[in-house]
Amino acid sequence: MSHEQHTATVRVGSNIAFIKYWGVADARINLPLNNSISMTLAEAHTTTTVTWDASGQQQTDEITLDGRRLDANAAQRLVAHLDRLRALAGVDYRATVVSKNNFPMASGIASSASGFAALTVAGCRALGLDLDATRLSAMARRGSGSASRSLFGGFVEWEKGIDDATSVARQLYTEEHWALYDVVAVVSRAAKHVSSASGHTLAATSPLNGCRIASLDAALREVRQAITLRDISQLGPVIEQDALAMHGVMMTSHPSLLYWQPETLAIMQAARAWREQDGLAAYFTIDAGPNVHLICEQESVDALVERLDTLPGVQRIIVSPPGPGPQGIEN
Ligand code: DP6
């Protein structure tokens, strides 16, 4: 965090949404159509070091992601975000960014959420900008909507807001509140075909979008209450329904987005069977990809992992309780 050296390293957890962000009111600033609620993950995180060259010698931003140096095209979205940080600080320094995920990228686990949040926090700290978590949340949102939520640990709600300053996340409860787990069944490591960023603008083309949005106030209330009461049997059905509603919107937009693979559906069916036949309280949610996130309490984790292991097509299982907000790491 040395300001003199213009460098900072920060680790940020990804997050899994219980009520999804899908659809934008204003794509330029990632102003969403609806509030969303998520849990920040302890075991899926990005660690990012940003070093600004105050000497003016460096000509371009140099970005290395998981050991791979990005070319200009691949770096575009990140450079645009560095431009926002430069504008905020009123400098024109180029940056060296080294970022590492501890989970497979672009596979439906939101690497952009932790990635843009980490870039924002490390970038601002290294510039000596002293922004509070709320302002950092707004800033991270510009890079990737879901990144706004990773600025806080535990259970988080992103208030859709009406403009750049008001569309920010806030913490509902810390990670100590409830030992809820996200058990991620990774079925494909392949990169997703359509990025969420372009998908958000398609939501409005689905005839189902308005129905989903109209039903969300009730769903958000249910999720807040279920988290408050630590009630998995109240939380589960609501999060499954919103994941299905979001995918319904995706499938019926023009062009249609179909993220599921056969394995995705097999896991969804299996989760319901385990629940109904064996009382294993795990509920699914799915982001913009084929992987299935099963949400359950600590007591169900072992049985769930054991069963997932027997399903063909499950390549890897990631298990995560709720985690903290951004953590500074001394260089
Ligand atoms: C389906 O725009 O935050 O995960 O395109 O990767 O930046 P990127 O994602 P973002 O959309 C995430 C959408 C979602 C649901 C959610 O996390 O709320």
Side-chain angles (χ1 to χ4, degrees), residues 48-76:
T48 300
T49 301
V50 178
T51 307
W52 296 99
D53 172 38
S55 76
Q57 285 175 341
Q58 194 175 322
Q59 298 296 309
T60 57
D61 296 312
E62 295 179 13
I63 302 172
T64 304
L65 240 181
D66 285 331
R68 232 172 30 100
R69 173 76 190 273
L70 302 187
D71 63 25
N73 192 33
Q76 222 172 25

PDB file of all heavy atoms in Angstrom, residues 48-76:
ATOM      1  N   THR A  48      -4.704  -8.805  -7.231  1.00  0.00           N
ATOM      2  CA  THR A  48      -4.229  -7.881  -8.264  1.00  0.00           C
ATOM      3  C   THR A  48      -3.230  -6.875  -7.704  1.00  0.00           C
ATOM      4  O   THR A  48      -3.479  -6.282  -6.654  1.00  0.00           O
ATOM      5  CB  THR A  48      -5.426  -7.119  -8.884  1.00  0.00           C
ATOM      6  OG1 THR A  48      -6.316  -8.076  -9.470  1.00  0.00           O
ATOM      7  CG2 THR A  48      -4.975  -6.129  -9.956  1.00  0.00           C
ATOM      8  N   THR A  49      -2.130  -6.730  -8.412  1.00  0.00           N
ATOM      9  CA  THR A  49      -1.158  -5.687  -8.083  1.00  0.00           C
ATOM     10  C   THR A  49      -1.188  -4.633  -9.193  1.00  0.00           C
ATOM     11  O   THR A  49      -1.098  -4.980 -10.378  1.00  0.00           O
ATOM     12  CB  THR A  49       0.274  -6.263  -7.994  1.00  0.00           C
ATOM     13  OG1 THR A  49       0.295  -7.274  -6.980  1.00  0.00           O
ATOM     14  CG2 THR A  49       1.295  -5.175  -7.644  1.00  0.00           C
ATOM     15  N   VAL A  50      -1.349  -3.393  -8.794  1.00  0.00           N
ATOM     16  CA  VAL A  50      -1.284  -2.289  -9.758  1.00  0.00           C
ATOM     17  C   VAL A  50      -0.090  -1.409  -9.392  1.00  0.00           C
ATOM     18  O   VAL A  50       0.076  -1.021  -8.236  1.00  0.00           O
ATOM     19  CB  VAL A  50      -2.568  -1.434  -9.754  1.00  0.00           C
ATOM     20  CG1 VAL A  50      -2.444  -0.263 -10.745  1.00  0.00           C
ATOM     21  CG2 VAL A  50      -3.784  -2.290 -10.096  1.00  0.00           C
ATOM     22  N   THR A  51       0.750  -1.130 -10.384  1.00  0.00           N
ATOM     23  CA  THR A  51       1.896  -0.228 -10.199  1.00  0.00           C
ATOM     24  C   THR A  51       1.804   0.876 -11.250  1.00  0.00           C
ATOM     25  O   THR A  51       1.744   0.586 -12.449  1.00  0.00           O
ATOM     26  CB  THR A  51       3.226  -0.990 -10.369  1.00  0.00           C
ATOM     27  OG1 THR A  51       3.220  -2.124  -9.495  1.00  0.00           O
ATOM     28  CG2 THR A  51       4.412  -0.094 -10.040  1.00  0.00           C
ATOM     29  N   TRP A  52       1.718   2.101 -10.790  1.00  0.00           N
ATOM     30  CA  TRP A  52       1.635   3.240 -11.719  1.00  0.00           C
ATOM     31  C   TRP A  52       3.037   3.791 -11.966  1.00  0.00           C
ATOM     32  O   TRP A  52       3.817   3.959 -11.034  1.00  0.00           O
ATOM     33  CB  TRP A  52       0.764   4.349 -11.131  1.00  0.00           C
ATOM     34  CG  TRP A  52      -0.673   3.951 -10.924  1.00  0.00           C
ATOM     35  CD1 TRP A  52      -1.235   3.546  -9.753  1.00  0.00           C
ATOM     36  CD2 TRP A  52      -1.718   3.934 -11.899  1.00  0.00           C
ATOM     37  NE1 TRP A  52      -2.572   3.272  -9.937  1.00  0.00           N
ATOM     38  CE2 TRP A  52      -2.899   3.506 -11.237  1.00  0.00           C
ATOM     39  CE3 TRP A  52      -1.786   4.240 -13.268  1.00  0.00           C
ATOM     40  CZ2 TRP A  52      -4.120   3.376 -11.903  1.00  0.00           C
ATOM     41  CZ3 TRP A  52      -3.014   4.116 -13.919  1.00  0.00           C
ATOM     42  CH2 TRP A  52      -4.154   3.687 -13.244  1.00  0.00           C
ATOM     43  N   ASP A  53       3.329   4.092 -13.220  1.00  0.00           N
ATOM     44  CA  ASP A  53       4.625   4.673 -13.568  1.00  0.00           C
ATOM     45  C   ASP A  53       4.523   6.196 -13.565  1.00  0.00           C
ATOM     46  O   ASP A  53       4.066   6.806 -14.540  1.00  0.00           O
ATOM     47  CB  ASP A  53       5.065   4.172 -14.954  1.00  0.00           C
ATOM     48  CG  ASP A  53       6.301   4.907 -15.419  1.00  0.00           C
ATOM     49  OD1 ASP A  53       7.187   5.192 -14.576  1.00  0.00           O
ATOM     50  OD2 ASP A  53       6.380   5.233 -16.618  1.00  0.00           O
ATOM     51  N   ALA A  54       4.944   6.776 -12.449  1.00  0.00           N
ATOM     52  CA  ALA A  54       4.850   8.230 -12.320  1.00  0.00           C
ATOM     53  C   ALA A  54       5.964   8.946 -13.082  1.00  0.00           C
ATOM     54  O   ALA A  54       5.929  10.153 -13.271  1.00  0.00           O
ATOM     55  CB  ALA A  54       4.894   8.623 -10.841  1.00  0.00           C
ATOM     56  N   SER A  55       6.967   8.183 -13.559  1.00  0.00           N
ATOM     57  CA  SER A  55       8.104   8.800 -14.245  1.00  0.00           C
ATOM     58  C   SER A  55       7.758   9.201 -15.681  1.00  0.00           C
ATOM     59  O   SER A  55       8.454   9.983 -16.299  1.00  0.00           O
ATOM     60  CB  SER A  55       9.277   7.819 -14.281  1.00  0.00           C
ATOM     61  OG  SER A  55       9.036   6.814 -15.260  1.00  0.00           O
ATOM     62  N   GLY A  56       6.678   8.630 -16.200  1.00  0.00           N
ATOM     63  CA  GLY A  56       6.273   8.964 -17.569  1.00  0.00           C
ATOM     64  C   GLY A  56       7.035   8.212 -18.632  1.00  0.00           C
ATOM     65  O   GLY A  56       6.897   8.494 -19.822  1.00  0.00           O
ATOM     66  N   GLN A  57       7.836   7.230 -18.236  1.00  0.00           N
ATOM     67  CA  GLN A  57       8.622   6.472 -19.227  1.00  0.00           C
ATOM     68  C   GLN A  57       7.822   5.384 -19.912  1.00  0.00           C
ATOM     69  O   GLN A  57       8.015   5.099 -21.083  1.00  0.00           O
ATOM     70  CB  GLN A  57       9.851   5.855 -18.553  1.00  0.00           C
ATOM     71  CG  GLN A  57      10.912   6.894 -18.280  1.00  0.00           C
ATOM     72  CD  GLN A  57      12.085   6.332 -17.497  1.00  0.00           C
ATOM     73  OE1 GLN A  57      11.975   5.285 -16.868  1.00  0.00           O
ATOM     74  NE2 GLN A  57      13.197   7.021 -17.543  1.00  0.00           N
ATOM     75  N   GLN A  58       6.920   4.798 -19.156  1.00  0.00           N
ATOM     76  CA  GLN A  58       6.144   3.677 -19.711  1.00  0.00           C
ATOM     77  C   GLN A  58       5.130   4.205 -20.730  1.00  0.00           C
ATOM     78  O   GLN A  58       4.421   5.178 -20.466  1.00  0.00           O
ATOM     79  CB  GLN A  58       5.447   2.967 -18.545  1.00  0.00           C
ATOM     80  CG  GLN A  58       4.892   1.608 -18.886  1.00  0.00           C
ATOM     81  CD  GLN A  58       4.322   0.920 -17.644  1.00  0.00           C
ATOM     82  OE1 GLN A  58       4.876   1.032 -16.547  1.00  0.00           O
ATOM     83  NE2 GLN A  58       3.220   0.214 -17.808  1.00  0.00           N
ATOM     84  N   GLN A  59       5.082   3.566 -21.906  1.00  0.00           N
ATOM     85  CA  GLN A  59       4.254   4.061 -23.009  1.00  0.00           C
ATOM     86  C   GLN A  59       2.832   3.527 -22.996  1.00  0.00           C
ATOM     87  O   GLN A  59       1.895   4.200 -23.415  1.00  0.00           O
ATOM     88  CB  GLN A  59       4.898   3.680 -24.357  1.00  0.00           C
ATOM     89  CG  GLN A  59       6.272   4.296 -24.587  1.00  0.00           C
ATOM     90  CD  GLN A  59       6.196   5.811 -24.674  1.00  0.00           C
ATOM     91  OE1 GLN A  59       5.398   6.365 -25.419  1.00  0.00           O
ATOM     92  NE2 GLN A  59       7.020   6.493 -23.881  1.00  0.00           N
ATOM     93  N   THR A  60       2.678   2.266 -22.568  1.00  0.00           N
ATOM     94  CA  THR A  60       1.342   1.644 -22.583  1.00  0.00           C
ATOM     95  C   THR A  60       1.094   0.915 -21.270  1.00  0.00           C
ATOM     96  O   THR A  60       2.025   0.618 -20.527  1.00  0.00           O
ATOM     97  CB  THR A  60       1.223   0.592 -23.720  1.00  0.00           C
ATOM     98  OG1 THR A  60       2.269  -0.374 -23.531  1.00  0.00           O
ATOM     99  CG2 THR A  60       1.362   1.210 -25.095  1.00  0.00           C
ATOM    100  N   ASP A  61      -0.171   0.627 -21.026  1.00  0.00           N
ATOM    101  CA  ASP A  61      -0.505  -0.198 -19.861  1.00  0.00           C
ATOM    102  C   ASP A  61      -0.105  -1.635 -20.174  1.00  0.00           C
ATOM    103  O   ASP A  61      -0.338  -2.125 -21.278  1.00  0.00           O
ATOM    104  CB  ASP A  61      -2.010  -0.134 -19.594  1.00  0.00           C
ATOM    105  CG  ASP A  61      -2.460   1.271 -19.220  1.00  0.00           C
ATOM    106  OD1 ASP A  61      -1.810   1.885 -18.362  1.00  0.00           O
ATOM    107  OD2 ASP A  61      -3.460   1.748 -19.804  1.00  0.00           O
ATOM    108  N   GLU A  62       0.504  -2.280 -19.194  1.00  0.00           N
ATOM    109  CA  GLU A  62       0.902  -3.684 -19.365  1.00  0.00           C
ATOM    110  C   GLU A  62       0.108  -4.534 -18.401  1.00  0.00           C
ATOM    111  O   GLU A  62       0.210  -4.358 -17.188  1.00  0.00           O
ATOM    112  CB  GLU A  62       2.403  -3.845 -19.095  1.00  0.00           C
ATOM    113  CG  GLU A  62       3.254  -3.114 -20.119  1.00  0.00           C
ATOM    114  CD  GLU A  62       4.745  -3.257 -19.844  1.00  0.00           C
ATOM    115  OE1 GLU A  62       5.125  -4.111 -19.020  1.00  0.00           O
ATOM    116  OE2 GLU A  62       5.502  -2.497 -20.456  1.00  0.00           O
ATOM    117  N   ILE A  63      -0.674  -5.445 -18.961  1.00  0.00           N
ATOM    118  CA  ILE A  63      -1.586  -6.222 -18.118  1.00  0.00           C
ATOM    119  C   ILE A  63      -1.328  -7.720 -18.280  1.00  0.00           C
ATOM    120  O   ILE A  63      -1.344  -8.242 -19.402  1.00  0.00           O
ATOM    121  CB  ILE A  63      -3.053  -5.903 -18.469  1.00  0.00           C
ATOM    122  CG1 ILE A  63      -3.292  -4.388 -18.287  1.00  0.00           C
ATOM    123  CG2 ILE A  63      -4.009  -6.718 -17.604  1.00  0.00           C
ATOM    124  CD1 ILE A  63      -4.629  -3.908 -18.770  1.00  0.00           C
ATOM    125  N   THR A  64      -1.082  -8.385 -17.165  1.00  0.00           N
ATOM    126  CA  THR A  64      -0.855  -9.828 -17.173  1.00  0.00           C
ATOM    127  C   THR A  64      -1.938 -10.497 -16.338  1.00  0.00           C
ATOM    128  O   THR A  64      -2.130 -10.167 -15.165  1.00  0.00           O
ATOM    129  CB  THR A  64       0.535 -10.164 -16.593  1.00  0.00           C
ATOM    130  OG1 THR A  64       1.517  -9.446 -17.344  1.00  0.00           O
ATOM    131  CG2 THR A  64       0.830 -11.654 -16.690  1.00  0.00           C
ATOM    132  N   LEU A  65      -2.679 -11.399 -16.983  1.00  0.00           N
ATOM    133  CA  LEU A  65      -3.797 -12.077 -16.325  1.00  0.00           C
ATOM    134  C   LEU A  65      -3.499 -13.567 -16.241  1.00  0.00           C
ATOM    135  O   LEU A  65      -3.322 -14.213 -17.283  1.00  0.00           O
ATOM    136  CB  LEU A  65      -5.052 -11.879 -17.185  1.00  0.00           C
ATOM    137  CG  LEU A  65      -6.249 -11.178 -16.566  1.00  0.00           C
ATOM    138  CD1 LEU A  65      -7.377 -11.097 -17.572  1.00  0.00           C
ATOM    139  CD2 LEU A  65      -6.699 -11.846 -15.299  1.00  0.00           C
ATOM    140  N   ASP A  66      -3.448 -14.102 -15.044  1.00  0.00           N
ATOM    141  CA  ASP A  66      -3.124 -15.519 -14.862  1.00  0.00           C
ATOM    142  C   ASP A  66      -1.887 -15.920 -15.671  1.00  0.00           C
ATOM    143  O   ASP A  66      -1.877 -16.952 -16.350  1.00  0.00           O
ATOM    144  CB  ASP A  66      -4.329 -16.400 -15.246  1.00  0.00           C
ATOM    145  CG  ASP A  66      -5.414 -16.341 -14.173  1.00  0.00           C
ATOM    146  OD1 ASP A  66      -5.080 -16.125 -12.993  1.00  0.00           O
ATOM    147  OD2 ASP A  66      -6.600 -16.497 -14.514  1.00  0.00           O
ATOM    148  N   GLY A  67      -0.869 -15.089 -15.602  1.00  0.00           N
ATOM    149  CA  GLY A  67       0.408 -15.411 -16.223  1.00  0.00           C
ATOM    150  C   GLY A  67       0.506 -15.113 -17.711  1.00  0.00           C
ATOM    151  O   GLY A  67       1.553 -15.318 -18.309  1.00  0.00           O
ATOM    152  N   ARG A  68      -0.592 -14.625 -18.302  1.00  0.00           N
ATOM    153  CA  ARG A  68      -0.575 -14.350 -19.730  1.00  0.00           C
ATOM    154  C   ARG A  68      -0.644 -12.846 -19.980  1.00  0.00           C
ATOM    155  O   ARG A  68      -1.547 -12.167 -19.488  1.00  0.00           O
ATOM    156  CB  ARG A  68      -1.774 -15.026 -20.404  1.00  0.00           C
ATOM    157  CG  ARG A  68      -1.414 -15.886 -21.610  1.00  0.00           C
ATOM    158  CD  ARG A  68      -2.645 -16.666 -22.098  1.00  0.00           C
ATOM    159  NE  ARG A  68      -3.907 -15.965 -21.853  1.00  0.00           N
ATOM    160  CZ  ARG A  68      -4.571 -15.271 -22.781  1.00  0.00           C
ATOM    161  NH1 ARG A  68      -4.124 -15.174 -24.005  1.00  0.00           N
ATOM    162  NH2 ARG A  68      -5.717 -14.672 -22.469  1.00  0.00           N
ATOM    163  N   ARG A  69       0.281 -12.318 -20.729  1.00  0.00           N
ATOM    164  CA  ARG A  69       0.288 -10.897 -21.079  1.00  0.00           C
ATOM    165  C   ARG A  69      -0.812 -10.639 -22.109  1.00  0.00           C
ATOM    166  O   ARG A  69      -0.870 -11.308 -23.142  1.00  0.00           O
ATOM    167  CB  ARG A  69       1.667 -10.539 -21.654  1.00  0.00           C
ATOM    168  CG  ARG A  69       1.790  -9.166 -22.213  1.00  0.00           C
ATOM    169  CD  ARG A  69       1.915  -8.104 -21.124  1.00  0.00           C
ATOM    170  NE  ARG A  69       1.793  -6.787 -21.741  1.00  0.00           N
ATOM    171  CZ  ARG A  69       2.818  -6.128 -22.257  1.00  0.00           C
ATOM    172  NH1 ARG A  69       4.029  -6.623 -22.186  1.00  0.00           N
ATOM    173  NH2 ARG A  69       2.637  -4.956 -22.833  1.00  0.00           N
ATOM    174  N   LEU A  70      -1.699  -9.687 -21.824  1.00  0.00           N
ATOM    175  CA  LEU A  70      -2.821  -9.430 -22.730  1.00  0.00           C
ATOM    176  C   LEU A  70      -2.401  -8.518 -23.869  1.00  0.00           C
ATOM    177  O   LEU A  70      -1.690  -7.533 -23.661  1.00  0.00           O
ATOM    178  CB  LEU A  70      -3.978  -8.774 -21.971  1.00  0.00           C
ATOM    179  CG  LEU A  70      -4.569  -9.532 -20.779  1.00  0.00           C
ATOM    180  CD1 LEU A  70      -5.809  -8.811 -20.255  1.00  0.00           C
ATOM    181  CD2 LEU A  70      -4.931 -10.973 -21.147  1.00  0.00           C
ATOM    182  N   ASP A  71      -2.867  -8.830 -25.080  1.00  0.00           N
ATOM    183  CA  ASP A  71      -2.621  -7.918 -26.201  1.00  0.00           C
ATOM    184  C   ASP A  71      -3.631  -6.758 -26.123  1.00  0.00           C
ATOM    185  O   ASP A  71      -4.544  -6.774 -25.295  1.00  0.00           O
ATOM    186  CB  ASP A  71      -2.684  -8.656 -27.548  1.00  0.00           C
ATOM    187  CG  ASP A  71      -4.052  -9.244 -27.831  1.00  0.00           C
ATOM    188  OD1 ASP A  71      -5.054  -8.734 -27.292  1.00  0.00           O
ATOM    189  OD2 ASP A  71      -4.118 -10.224 -28.598  1.00  0.00           O
ATOM    190  N   ALA A  72      -3.439  -5.774 -26.992  1.00  0.00           N
ATOM    191  CA  ALA A  72      -4.234  -4.539 -26.908  1.00  0.00           C
ATOM    192  C   ALA A  72      -5.732  -4.827 -26.945  1.00  0.00           C
ATOM    193  O   ALA A  72      -6.520  -4.228 -26.202  1.00  0.00           O
ATOM    194  CB  ALA A  72      -3.840  -3.596 -28.039  1.00  0.00           C
ATOM    195  N   ASN A  73      -6.111  -5.778 -27.778  1.00  0.00           N
ATOM    196  CA  ASN A  73      -7.526  -6.098 -27.924  1.00  0.00           C
ATOM    197  C   ASN A  73      -8.099  -6.696 -26.636  1.00  0.00           C
ATOM    198  O   ASN A  73      -9.146  -6.271 -26.136  1.00  0.00           O
ATOM    199  CB  ASN A  73      -7.690  -7.062 -29.104  1.00  0.00           C
ATOM    200  CG  ASN A  73      -9.138  -7.207 -29.514  1.00  0.00           C
ATOM    201  OD1 ASN A  73      -9.912  -6.249 -29.406  1.00  0.00           O
ATOM    202  ND2 ASN A  73      -9.495  -8.403 -29.945  1.00  0.00           N
ATOM    203  N   ALA A  74      -7.386  -7.667 -26.101  1.00  0.00           N
ATOM    204  CA  ALA A  74      -7.855  -8.342 -24.877  1.00  0.00           C
ATOM    205  C   ALA A  74      -7.821  -7.402 -23.674  1.00  0.00           C
ATOM    206  O   ALA A  74      -8.580  -7.582 -22.718  1.00  0.00           O
ATOM    207  CB  ALA A  74      -7.003  -9.581 -24.613  1.00  0.00           C
ATOM    208  N   ALA A  75      -6.945  -6.401 -23.749  1.00  0.00           N
ATOM    209  CA  ALA A  75      -6.773  -5.499 -22.603  1.00  0.00           C
ATOM    210  C   ALA A  75      -7.765  -4.338 -22.599  1.00  0.00           C
ATOM    211  O   ALA A  75      -7.889  -3.631 -21.595  1.00  0.00           O
ATOM    212  CB  ALA A  75      -5.349  -4.949 -22.595  1.00  0.00           C
ATOM    213  N   GLN A  76      -8.476  -4.176 -23.716  1.00  0.00           N
ATOM    214  CA  GLN A  76      -9.311  -2.996 -23.926  1.00  0.00           C
ATOM    215  C   GLN A  76     -10.220  -2.603 -22.753  1.00  0.00           C
ATOM    216  O   GLN A  76     -10.219  -1.459 -22.304  1.00  0.00           O
ATOM    217  CB  GLN A  76     -10.184  -3.252 -25.152  1.00  0.00           C
ATOM    218  CG  GLN A  76     -10.302  -2.065 -26.054  1.00  0.00           C
ATOM    219  CD  GLN A  76     -11.013  -2.432 -27.352  1.00  0.00           C
ATOM    220  OE1 GLN A  76     -11.793  -3.392 -27.404  1.00  0.00           O
ATOM    221  NE2 GLN A  76     -10.757  -1.673 -28.392  1.00  0.00           N
TER     222      GLN A  76
END
